[in-house]
Amino acid sequence: MRHIALVLAPAIVLAALAAAGAAETAAPPPIKIAVFPFELEDFSAGAAYVPLDDIDREQLRLSTEEARRLIAASGRYQLVDVSTVNDQAAKAGKLRDCDGCDARISAGLDADQSMIGIVTRITRMEYAVTYKVRDARSGAIVAVAQTDLRMGANVAWSRGARWLIENRLLEQAK
């Protein structure tokens, strides 16, 4: 009987150490993030004369979809549904101008973070894509990045969003 105890004691200690090590390497729970629809900020010479059109709206939608798809697929984040948001700035596509109200809205959705995406039209053929991630409780900016790419036609907006998410947001998470 004593012999069995001597054999089992080290095995029990090793099993306990292995269990403790596995608990330490467990991945943290995903961050709940509210990803709002991308918005267009138009600084082009024609901005006063050429309003946002259906093509622009579709490209903004595709950019938002691409960002959400990549963020959700990463496993680091859990998307929070923003479709029911009843905020004036969100409805008007002006979250970029509301001094961080996206964080307050996200907190109301029980999210940990908020993200807004902005496509800045410099000319009709030059654009930059930016995202801003805020802590939903404090409103502090957690991450911000811009493509600094002059991408050509607006069909490239989703490629800019993809590049930013893959090469900035998700790379920072590693």
Side-chain angles (χ1 to χ4, degrees):
M1 187 68 138
R2 197 168 122 182
H3 179 63
I4 293 173
L6 288 173
V7 171
L8 288 178
I12 292 170
V13 169
L14 286 175
L17 289 174
E24 287 179 21
T25 60
I31 298 167
K32 292 188 285 184
I33 188 167
V35 179
F36 292 95
F38 276 53
E39 300 176 1
L40 178 63
E41 185 172 44
D42 194 345
F43 291 115
S44 70
Y49 308 105
V50 183
L52 186 74
D53 61 21
D54 289 341
I55 295 169
D56 291 338
R57 280 188 274 283
E58 177 65 6
Q59 294 309 315
L60 290 169
R61 185 190 67 75
L62 291 171
S63 299
T64 303
E65 276 185 11
E66 184 68 1
R68 287 178 177 159
R69 182 186 68 76
L70 291 166
I71 289 168
S74 74
R76 176 171 162 70
Y77 295 95
Q78 175 187 344
L79 293 180
V80 173
D81 183 15
V82 298
S83 65
T84 60
V85 169
N86 193 21
D87 180 88
Q88 199 74 339
K91 285 182 174 182
K94 299 283 187 180
L95 290 174
R96 67 186 182 279
D97 295 330
C98 70
D99 294 324
C101 69
D102 53 293
R104 176 187 45 79
I105 296 166
S106 297
L109 297 171
D110 196 33
D112 302 314
Q113 295 179 348
S114 66
M115 180 181 144
I116 61 171
I118 305 160
V119 175
T120 303
R121 179 182 282 152
I122 300 153
T123 70
R124 295 305 285 184
M125 294 300 290
E126 291 183 89
Y127 305 90
V129 180
T130 306
Y131 70 76
K132 292 181 185 178
V133 177
R134 292 182 186 271
D135 179 85
R137 305 294 177 243
S138 70
I141 292 180
V142 175
V144 62
Q146 185 178 33
T147 58
D148 286 338
L149 302 173
R150 302 300 179 230
M151 296 178 291
N154 56 5
V155 295
W157 296 355
S158 61
R159 287 195 312 261
R162 179 178 47 247
W163 187 89
L164 274 178
I165 300 303
E166 289 176 342
N167 295 292
R168 294 295 184 260
L169 184 66
L170 299 178
E171 280 297 314
Q172 289 176 352
K174 290 182 180 180

